[in-house]
Every structure is written in C-alpha cells, then in structure tokens.
Amino acid sequence: MTNTNSGALPRAITARVVDAVLKKGRNLDAAFAEAEVDKLEPRDQAFVRALSYGTLRNHYRNRKLIALLVARPIRNRDSVITALLSVGLFALIESKRPDYAVVSATVGAVTQLERVSMRGLVNAVLRRFLREREGLLAAVSKDKEAGYQHPQWLIEKLQVDWPRDWEDIIAAGNKQAPMWVRINTKQHEPALWLDRLQHTGVAATTPVSTMPGAVLLDAPLMVQELPGFSLGDCSVQDLASQLAAHFLQAGPGMRVLDACAAPGGKATHVLELCPDIKELVAVDKSEQRLSRVQENLERLGFDNKDQVTLIEGDALDPEKWWKESRDKAGFDRILVDAPCSATGVIRRHPDIRFLRRTGDISSLVETQLQMLEKLWPLLKPGGWLLYSTCSVLRAENEAVIAEFLARRSDAYERQLPVKMPEEARGQTEHGLQLLPGQADNDGFYYALLERLPV
Ligand SMILES: C[S@@+](CC[C@H](N)C(=O)[O-])C[C@H]1O[C@@H](n2cnc3c(N)ncnc32)[C@H](O)[C@@H]1O
C-alpha cells in the first residue's frame, strides 16, 4: 500500500481497525494484522496506530456524540462508518490539525471504504459537530460512560473495590502509557547503560531508587533505537511487571516453573537475575506466543537447552506435561502469571474496555483458582509460588488468594519485599496491589505463597 497525501487512506484503515475491535471483538494487535497495517509506509503505520489508540480511548464519548449528531441510527452493516466518524471526532477534538483538513481527509476515507453514498452523511455530521461543539461536549459529559471513557460495569466494580482510588484508576486508564525499559543488570551497570542511552539524545530516568535497572523513557521510541537491544542489553517491560523476578528470588541450583510464560518478560528476567538456576520450565498454552519466548531467550542469550525447557501445555492440566520422573522433588519456585481481566493495563490496551464483559470475571476467577490448585502439588515443600495478575479487581486478586489459603492448610503467605512507593499501593489484606499510574506503573497484583511441609 502507498501513502496518500490527503490522509484519507490511513483514516480508512484506522476505521477498519476500530470497527474490527468494536464489532468483531478482535484485540488491537489482531485488528492491525487483519488490516495489514504493517504494509503501510512507516510514517503511516505510526499514524494509524496512534489514531486507533486515541479513537478507542475516546470512543465511549464519541459514540454518544454520534448518536446525537445523526438523524437516524447508522445501520449495523455500515458500522465501519460509525468507526470512521469516531476517528474523525477524535481528531477534531484532540489533535492539533486544522479542522478543515480533518473533515476533508475523513470524508475522503468514505470513498476508500467503498461507501461513496455516505460521504454526505459523514461531512454533515462532522460539520454539525464543529458548529455545536461546546453544547454537544457539555451534554455528553453528563453520561457516565462518556465522561469516564470506561464501561458502566467496570466503573461500578472499581467504585466498590477502590472507593478512595477509583477515579485515579480510571484517569490512569485513559492516559497514554509510558515506555519502561529493563536493563540487563547481569551484563551492564545501570548508570553506564543510561549514559549510553542519553548519549543518543534520549531523555530517561530511573525513578525508583530500589530498582536501578528500571528505566522510564521521557517519550516512547522504537526498540531498535535502544542501545544494544538486539544484543540483549535491555528489554521493554513495565515497572510493575519487573517486580516479579525480584519477588521470586530464584537461587543457584533451583528448578523454576513459569506456568503462563509467553512472551517471556518475567521468565527471561528470572534468568538475568540468577543465571545459575538449574532449570527453567516455561509453559504456555499458545504455540504462537511460545515462539516469542524462544525469540526473547535467543536475543538475551539464554537458549541453553539443558537449562531451559519450553512446553506448549495447559497449566490447568499439568499431568499431561509434567514428567514427574524427571525430578520427583518438584519445583523450588513457581510463577503463576495468570490469565486475567487485564483491567490494570487499560492504558496500554485501550481495546480491553470494549472486549471485557462483566460476566468474564467469574470464569476468570474459577480458572485462576483452579490453576493454583493444579500447580500447587508441583511445588516442593519449602518452595515458593508467586501469583500475579495485571488486574485491579479484588475478585481476581486477594479474594483468590484468601480462598486458596482457606482451602490449603499447607499454604502460607510470605511478606513481599515491597520496592514500590507508598502511593502506588492499594490497601489489601493479602498480597500487594499496585494501582495504575501512581508511580507511572501498570496496575498489577502479587501474592507470594510458601508450601509448608505437612
Ligand atoms: C499475562 S500473560 C503472561 C505474561 C508473561 N508471564 C510475561 O511476563 O511475559 C498470560 C499468558 O497465559 C497464557 N495462558 C492462558 N491460559 C493458560 C493455560 N491454561 N495454560 C497455560 N498458559 C495459559 C496465555 O497464552 C498468555 O500468554
């Protein structure tokens, strides 16, 4: 595909991406792939991505505006035009481009989408918005979903779970996530790597004194621009996620299981912090995602087959892949980075607010508890299991741990060596809840359990 100067083509592609998320329930990565965004010129790729993210962040408001602006509801089979109007409204409200250029490119996109007869509608809606802008924005701001840009069910759950913090959590979800880098501290002195980065003209800091290898960039950049990225000198990983390997404290000679390992952010960090572990078994049920673990292991130089075993398997069915004969004593450390609602990372994945449903939570909780039950017997007495999610919902976090502790008399909760500033932590009875945005981190939950000898 080629670039068009009018900007109509990238807007049409963005509308297809947004429509795929909203109508077909695709996640953003799948929607980008389906719309072949990677075949665009690099400049247009970046534009489509930014516009897709921005539109989805603002679609609850935009769809209310659209409802007020159209005389008759747009037919379901023309949902791509609703998506395009949302793209246009986002640009008119949030971007610095001149209004006439936005309207012209958006109307041009209707032709690209082969809906020529709807050019008049798109033109009229956007122009009416420009004429009545203040009143319309004031009217929709009274609507809860439009005002908070989150679904009603999630707003309500956050209000119940975090009566003091819910508005901050939502505000963090509506922001653009920063880029965090993890320095491979096994190979590099953090200060020296930071110097190298700053010499390339990139501004960055290490804001958490207890984690000198965690670097916050002032502005995101392409990974290839990070010094030594392809040589394994660093990885891209949010601050909250970087805590897992520190909490696990794997030591020389230990056997470690990462039961939901892909794409391998935490597993590779475990190896960086302790390259002398005896074995790392990395399991994931997605073959495609498991290949990303392999790529990351190779990039970071940890592809020793005697030390690392990758298994495509189901953490809910370990009998199928755990060869007890190999080491009857089990694992010294288990990481269960469980599938979850991902409500702590909405700022990174704005599609989540449309893809998750309230009904998903109870089945996720069931899976999370079952995963703990099934993996627990693989842990050696005296061994530690770290449970983590990128959720901010108590049901998936401390309630799961409370229930598991109630069921297992041989499970004991260990204190986590907290490394995060006070303001990033939510009040919990069990484990550590990190709230999103407070220290520029994602929302995450951790609980560390020890298996007692019985
Ligand atoms: C939150 S991601 C893990 C991220 C990873 N720990 C990291 O740090 O890069 C959750 C992963 O769990 C995997 N998963 C979901 N259900 C699973 C199951 N029943 N068994 C094994 N893996 C599962 C998904 O494919 C996904 O890759």
Side-chain angles (χ1 to χ4, degrees):
M1 284 185 227
T2 52
N3 184 19
T4 58
N5 291 332
S6 71
L9 178 62
R11 282 177 169 80
I13 292 172
T14 306
R16 287 210 180 97
V17 168
V18 169
D19 188 44
V21 172
L22 299 175
K23 192 175 170 191
K24 298 187 202 156
R26 300 272 190 275
N27 69 41
L28 253 178
D29 286 340
F32 286 138
E34 212 169 87
E36 301 190 324
V37 173
D38 56 346
K39 292 198 180 146
L40 293 169
E41 310 248 326
R43 204 188 59 171
D44 280 350
Q45 276 190 43
F47 181 68
V48 167
R49 285 175 194 278
L51 204 53
S52 302
Y53 274 76
T55 301
L56 287 171
R57 282 198 183 101
N58 291 281
H59 184 71
Y60 278 109
R61 178 200 60 203
N62 295 351
R63 77 177 185 188
K64 264 277 168 235
L65 287 171
I66 294 166
L68 295 176
L69 285 161
V70 294
R72 274 182 284 123
I74 295 174
R75 290 172 304 187
N76 201 27
R77 66 168 194 235
D78 293 321
S79 59
V80 73
I81 295 298
T82 307
L84 178 67
L85 283 170
S86 189
V87 172
L89 287 170
F90 165 67
L92 287 177
I93 298 167
E94 311 288 343
S95 85
K96 295 194 175 72
R97 284 165 211 262
D99 291 344
Y100 71 86
V102 172
V103 174
S104 155
T106 311
V107 173
V110 183
T111 309
Q112 302 277 347
L113 293 168
E114 296 170 3
R115 297 287 202 293
V116 181
S117 65
M118 301 185 84
R119 283 174 65 100
L121 170 85
V122 170
N123 190 37
V125 165
L126 296 182
R127 287 185 190 282
R128 182 171 164 211
F129 171 74
L130 289 173
R131 285 195 307 276
E132 299 175 22
R133 182 183 180 121
E134 302 309 325
L136 285 164
L137 287 174
V140 297
S141 70
K142 297 192 187 93
D143 177 89
K144 213 172 187 180
E145 288 191 330
Y148 287 112
Q149 306 276 20
H150 277 58
Q152 176 89 12
W153 71 267
L154 184 53
I155 299 170
E156 284 167 8
K157 275 199 194 304
L158 292 173
Q159 282 173 325
V160 172
D161 280 6
W162 302 105
R164 208 190 57 193
D165 306 294
W166 67 274
E167 283 188 283
D168 289 342
I169 295 172
I170 285 176
N174 290 335
K175 288 205 183 110
Q176 208 176 324
M179 186 165 174
W180 283 92
V181 174
R182 179 185 94 213
I183 303 174
N184 185 345
T185 48
K186 186 72 199 157
Q187 290 178 10
H188 296 280
E189 185 56 42
L192 293 180
W193 188 88
L194 203 59
D195 269 356
R196 274 168 71 198
L197 180 72
Q198 283 163 346
H199 270 105
T200 66
V202 175
T205 49
T206 49
V208 182
S209 59
T210 48
M211 295 174 69
V215 178
L216 177 62
L217 305 188
D218 280 16
L221 39 84
M222 307 282 283
V223 288
Q224 294 79 5
E225 297 173 62
L226 294 168
F229 178 80
S230 58
L231 302 172
D233 295 355
C234 61
S235 299
V236 175
Q237 188 179 29
D238 186 83
L239 174 69
S241 170
Q242 292 191 34
L243 287 164
H246 290 287
F247 290 159
L248 215 49
Q249 289 183 35
M254 286 189 180
R255 297 188 71 228
V256 180
L257 169 67
D258 184 346
C260 295
K266 299 181 188 72
T268 52
H269 196 195
V270 168
L271 286 162
E272 277 172 23
L273 292 185
C274 189
D276 301 331
I277 59 170
K278 184 173 174 199
E279 187 181 12
L280 172 76
V281 177
V283 176
D284 202 281
K285 76 170 185 189
S286 159
E287 182 188 9
Q288 192 196 0
R289 284 174 62 82
L290 206 59
S291 65
R292 297 198 41 215
V293 183
Q294 180 64 34
E295 279 165 28
N296 279 320
L297 287 166
E298 283 170 17
R299 184 178 62 80
L300 292 157
F302 293 120
D303 48 348
N304 174 357
K305 299 260 183 299
D306 292 336
Q307 188 187 33
V308 181
T309 312
L310 294 190
I311 299 177
E312 181 194 340
D314 187 346
L316 294 168
D317 195 6
E319 294 82 6
K320 282 218 173 109
W321 47 264
W322 185 43
K323 309 278 182 285
E324 209 176 338
S325 57
R326 189 161 166 181
D327 187 343
K328 287 191 171 57
F331 293 96
D332 302 277
R333 296 285 184 268
I334 297 181
L335 172 60
V336 183
D337 194 17
C340 71
S341 63
T343 41
V345 291
I346 287 181
R347 62 188 196 149
R348 282 189 198 286
H349 304 282
D351 45 337
I352 285 169
R353 38 160 90 65
F354 300 102
L355 302 179
R356 280 303 162 272
R357 301 273 183 266
T358 181
D360 298 343
I361 306 303
S362 56
S363 58
L364 282 165
V365 168
E366 208 174 296
T367 302
Q368 290 152 354
L369 262 168
Q370 222 186 331
M371 223 175 242
L372 287 174
E373 293 274 4
K374 293 281 186 177
L375 294 169
W376 190 251
L378 278 61
L379 188 63
K380 283 182 189 173
W384 299 358
L385 180 151
L386 182 66
Y387 174 77
S388 65
T389 72
C390 55
S391 165
V392 287
L393 300 180
R394 288 186 192 263
E396 295 180 273
N397 295 338
E398 59 175 324
V400 166
I401 294 303
E403 175 64 26
F404 185 71
L405 287 169
R407 287 186 194 176
R408 299 290 316 206
S409 58
D410 60 344
Y412 153 85
E413 184 180 2
R414 293 187 63 93
Q415 285 298 312
L416 286 161
V418 176
K419 289 172 179 260
M420 293 287 284
E422 183 76 40
E423 66 272 16
R425 294 182 245 155
Q427 290 273 310
T428 52
E429 294 222 352
H430 297 287
L432 168 69
Q433 178 72 63
L434 299 171
L435 299 177
Q438 302 292 339
D440 254 334
N441 57 285
D442 284 346
F444 246 82
Y445 177 79
Y446 288 106
L448 187 60
L449 307 177
E450 178 171 341
R451 183 169 178 188
L452 301 171
V454 275

